[in-house]
Amino acid sequence: MLDELRAARLSAGWSQRTLAQRITAKLPDVESRLLPGGYGYVVIRSFADQAVVEAFDAALLRFRDTPGLVIDVRQNGGGDTAVARPIMGRFIAERTPYARMRRRDGDHLSDPWTEVVDPRGPFTYTAPVAVLTTRWSASMAEGFPMGMRGIGRATIVGTPMMRLGAGVFPLHLDRTGIQLQYSAEPVYDVHDRARSLLEPDVPVSPTDDILAAGIVTLDAKRKAPSY
């Protein structure tokens, strides 16, 4: 009986460990699949690693001839402009403004400057694009949808995002040794509207199916007359 109890306890322990490993296993930064209607679907969970650009390029090659593309940044906590900007470059054929910025200078802000994105890659994807967002889309995962809309290449579908409206700079406090970040460069869209106020083009309740709404958005784009 004692041996059976020990065996059961050991088995339960391994089950709990296996479950914990499954829960904490890191999902890939980029995943892709084909959706109903023939649309491409790419999930980007981070803009923090340059390898994301290569993974996105591989997915886009697979979806080169699809009638539309869904890019999902709903689980994305942000990252680096140097990763997001090359991805935007796959959707344009010439240098295009995608954002405006200012820098904090004491108690005021500097004059604005314009950020641009350059075309990149062996081909330009020209079919309609929907970018999916939620409250968990943060920082560069807010700047990316805003930029894709700014270059005229995407419709934002979902909920408002986390409303982190500025680039951050590091700061070291000499007396305490504390390292921190502060809001240094407020970001605006191409029409000079603060990123922190960014709203989706197609609002969707958090309780509704945002991916389904993205597919419906692409369906409507395909049926819309072109001039």
Side-chain angles (χ1 to χ4, degrees), residues 96-119:
T96 307
Y98 75 93
R100 287 166 66 82
M101 299 185 72
R102 292 176 171 85
R103 181 165 294 168
R104 299 194 190 281
D105 184 8
D107 60 357
H108 64 281
L109 296 173
S110 71
D111 292 334
W113 70 89
T114 299
E115 293 285 325
V116 299
V117 58
D118 290 312

Side-chain angles (χ1 to χ4, degrees), residues 45-197:
R45 296 190 176 92
S46 172
F47 290 113
D49 190 331
Q50 198 64 36
V52 168
V53 178
E54 297 176 8
F56 180 84
D57 284 350
L60 194 64
L61 180 62
R62 176 187 174 197
F63 299 141
R64 179 173 186 168
D65 297 319
T66 56
L69 183 70
V70 176
I71 302 176
D72 190 340
V73 296
R74 289 179 292 172
Q75 304 171 54
N76 192 317
D80 195 333
T81 305
V83 174
R85 184 158 42 194
I87 294 174
M88 287 189 273
R90 299 304 310 270
F91 299 92
I92 54 173
E94 60 184 24
R95 174 175 281 195
T96 307
Y98 75 93
R100 287 166 66 82
M101 299 185 72
R102 292 176 171 85
R103 181 165 294 168
R104 299 194 190 281
D105 184 8
D107 60 357
H108 64 281
L109 296 173
S110 71
D111 292 334
W113 70 89
T114 299
E115 293 285 325
V116 299
V117 58
D118 290 312
R120 189 186 64 84
F123 65 91
T124 300
Y125 187 87
T126 58
V129 180
V131 179
L132 309 185
T133 64
T134 65
R135 291 288 187 189
W136 298 106
S137 305
S139 191
M140 198 60 232
E142 300 172 81
F144 176 78
M146 185 190 76
M148 286 291 288
R149 181 167 71 183
I151 63 176
R153 287 298 293 118
T155 302
I156 303 174
V157 180
T159 75
M161 289 154 268
M162 198 169 285
R163 301 195 185 282
L164 304 180
V168 296
F169 283 1
L171 181 65
H172 176 79
L173 302 182
D174 293 334
R175 292 187 178 183
T176 62
I178 294 174
Q179 301 279 353
L180 53 84
Q181 293 179 325
Y182 70 97
S183 172
E185 293 182 340
V187 185
Y188 306 81
D189 69 9
V190 292
H191 303 291
D192 216 27
R193 296 175 297 206
R195 190 179 76 185
S196 59
L197 303 178

Side-chain angles (χ1 to χ4, degrees), residues 11-26:
S11 175
W14 276 107
S15 298
Q16 291 171 3
R17 184 180 304 176
T18 302
L19 178 60
Q21 288 172 341
R22 288 177 180 175
I23 291 173
T24 57
K26 187 180 185 302

